[in-house]
Amino acid sequence: MNNKNALHALLVWAGLGFSALAMAHGDVTPQAVNTEGLEQLGKEWRDENPYRAPYANNKQAIEIGTSAYTQNCARCHGLEAISGGIAPDLRMLDPGIEGDEWFKERVINGAVRDGAVYMPKMADYISQEGLWAIRTYLESLHVEE
């Protein structure tokens, strides 16, 4: 193989490698959340997590929230909500209504600093039911600072 063909082969191989890396990052578009089996909440946002125990389907809400979190939140907040420092460690959110207030405000309004979007308005993409299921999952992981 001459040098020209070797260089061409190397460039093709490198291009394939970089495209595979880019594709490995995955789809960053928020993914739909199937909330079948959970109480449907309507358009008006609740002030407090309706799926928190003693909610009858609390375990199902945690399961749905686990999947929804993994698909939509883990890429920034870390697997099992253990942050690598890019975004807040969501295991440390206050339990109860205090944490619900912060969570609700953030998922509805997102986070923008100096014109840069640090977190999209997740409520534009995921239903209230899906987001409260995520909150239920996060509370199941809660740790004190």
Side-chain angles (χ1 to χ4, degrees):
M1 184 184 318
N2 66 31
N3 285 343
K4 187 175 180 181
N5 287 342
L7 179 59
H8 183 261
L10 180 61
L11 290 173
V12 168
W13 179 81
L16 290 173
F18 285 122
S19 66
L21 286 174
M23 291 174 66
H25 181 68
D27 187 355
V28 294
T29 303
Q31 302 297 302
V33 177
N34 180 355
T35 59
E36 187 177 331
L38 298 180
E39 174 190 350
Q40 297 302 292
L41 305 175
K43 297 276 184 199
E44 190 70 27
W45 266 85
R46 305 280 176 99
D47 289 328
E48 189 170 356
N49 182 358
Y51 303 141
R52 179 179 294 122
Y55 174 65
N57 291 344
N58 174 262
K59 287 184 181 179
Q60 183 179 18
I62 291 171
E63 289 173 14
I64 290 169
T66 301
S67 175
Y69 175 89
T70 301
Q71 292 176 31
N72 293 290
C73 312
R75 67 182 52 92
C76 295
H77 291 280
L79 293 174
E80 297 179 1
I82 301 169
S83 176
I86 294 172
D89 189 315
L90 298 177
R91 298 170 305 150
M92 296 181 191
L93 274 178
D94 288 335
I97 196 160
E98 295 82 16
D100 291 348
E101 290 174 6
W102 184 89
F103 180 83
K104 178 182 165 185
E105 192 280 327
R106 188 54 52 110
V107 298
I108 291 173
N109 298 309
V112 177
R113 279 183 255 152
D114 300 323
V117 176
Y118 283 77
M119 180 172 153
K121 298 176 181 182
M122 296 306 287
D124 289 351
Y125 305 100
I126 301 173
S127 69
Q128 175 178 198
E129 294 84 1
L131 289 165
W132 283 126
I134 291 170
R135 170 72 172 137
T136 304
Y137 164 66
L138 293 171
E139 280 191 310
S140 76
L141 303 174
H142 177 74
V143 296
E144 295 294 326
E145 290 184 63

